[in-house]
Amino acid sequence: MNNALSAVVFDMDGVLLDSEAVYEKAWQAVALQMNLSDIDAVHTQVLGMSEEGAMKILSEHYGPSFNGNAFWKETTDWAFAYEAQHGVPVKSGIPEALEYLKRKGYALAVASSSARNIVEANLKSCGLFSYFDVSICGDEVKRAKPAPQIYQTACEHLGVACNLAVAIEDSKSGIESAWRAGLRCIMIPDRIPADRVSIERSWKVCISAKELISLL
């Protein structure tokens, strides 16, 4: 165990689970039904954001009259149906990393922009939920990522100072949130490569969660 650190806080979508790929498919399917253009570019912008943040991006791109709430519901329903049939794959290296971190005595938390019901359902279905001492979800904070509140709250619930915790993130929004909260950041890019600012704000940029075993 790294003596300078005592907790590890994980994002869920794109870090613990390969759920971003499912939502990408959902956005593409619903956009095709609604005859929306440039949906992949829009989806890339909202990675790591809460529903509120996504609504703002959708409104900016498709205009204030666009019914973002209806689009969000349709994509969420599509993703739920897909996951119910196929499950949500766990990201490579995550089971091994979680086992290792537990053995080493780290406190573990989830800080996800997704709502509580989604976080618990997905993590329980793949057997990961029990690894975590704390989970803070997007519908439980007033200021979503990239604001620092969700990481601050996770550390507070763990009883650990933010500067003694590590955040595991895949998105620019998530890295900004953790960095502003004062956590040490490890980025494992998922759907898009790490940008310059995220690299500068990260302690390490990894290819797989397996690398956490040698880092921590």
Side-chain angles (χ1 to χ4, degrees), residues 162-196:
C162 288
N163 65 348
L164 298 181
V166 177
I168 315 298
E169 273 285 356
D170 69 304
S171 69
K172 179 179 180 179
S173 176
I175 288 292
E176 181 177 347
S177 174
W179 176 79
R180 289 172 63 188
L183 284 76
R184 189 177 297 192
C185 300
I186 295 177
M187 189 174 196
I188 308 177
D190 179 38
R191 308 303 294 169
I192 55 176
D195 64 289
R196 178 185 58 81

Side-chain angles (χ1 to χ4, degrees), residues 37-52:
S37 61
D38 302 323
I39 198 63
D40 288 339
V42 179
H43 185 251
T44 296
Q45 291 183 63
V46 307
L47 290 175
M49 288 186 177
S50 65
E51 180 178 352
E52 181 182 358

Side-chain angles (χ1 to χ4, degrees):
M1 181 173 181
N2 187 322
N3 291 330
L5 302 166
S6 58
V8 184
V9 186
F10 287 82
D11 177 42
M12 184 182 74
D13 296 306
V15 174
L16 294 172
L17 305 178
D18 196 17
S19 43
E20 296 289 15
V22 175
Y23 278 93
E24 183 177 83
K25 292 177 185 290
W27 279 50
Q28 290 169 346
V30 175
L32 186 62
Q33 295 171 8
M34 299 177 68
N35 197 30
L36 299 175
S37 61
D38 302 323
I39 198 63
D40 288 339
V42 179
H43 185 251
T44 296
Q45 291 183 63
V46 307
L47 290 175
M49 288 186 177
S50 65
E51 180 178 352
E52 181 182 358
M55 291 301 102
K56 182 179 179 183
I57 296 297
L58 286 165
S59 179
E60 289 173 353
H61 194 86
Y62 295 114
S65 63
F66 179 73
N67 191 340
N69 291 319
F71 178 82
W72 186 269
K73 183 181 185 305
E74 288 293 325
T75 56
T76 301
D77 289 347
W78 193 100
F80 279 0
Y82 182 94
E83 290 168 354
Q85 181 177 358
H86 302 282
V88 186
V90 176
K91 295 286 287 186
S92 174
I94 283 296
E96 299 91 334
L98 291 175
E99 285 286 350
Y100 168 81
L101 294 170
K102 272 295 187 185
R103 287 198 309 270
K104 297 297 285 186
Y106 285 97
L108 301 181
V110 174
S112 173
S113 294
S114 294
R116 165 66 57 185
N117 65 319
I118 296 173
V119 171
E120 290 201 11
N122 285 350
L123 293 181
K124 286 179 179 178
S125 70
C126 64
L128 296 184
F129 189 74
S130 61
Y131 281 101
F132 298 98
D133 306 293
V134 165
S135 55
I136 307 298
C137 305
D139 56 346
E140 298 169 341
V141 293
K142 292 182 179 179
R143 297 178 298 281
K145 299 175 185 179
Q149 185 183 12
I150 195 165
Y151 276 102
Q152 293 167 337
T153 304
C155 290
E156 180 182 341
H157 282 232
L158 287 173
V160 173
C162 288
N163 65 348
L164 298 181
V166 177
I168 315 298
E169 273 285 356
D170 69 304
S171 69
K172 179 179 180 179
S173 176
I175 288 292
E176 181 177 347
S177 174
W179 176 79
R180 289 172 63 188
L183 284 76
R184 189 177 297 192
C185 300
I186 295 177
M187 189 174 196
I188 308 177
D190 179 38
R191 308 303 294 169
I192 55 176
D195 64 289
R196 178 185 58 81
V197 174
S198 295
I199 292 172
E200 291 174 353
R201 290 174 170 175
S202 295
W203 174 43
K204 300 287 183 181
V205 177
C206 300
I207 296 173
S208 164
K210 290 180 181 178
E211 296 176 58
L212 300 178
I213 295 173
S214 59
L215 288 175
L216 301 172

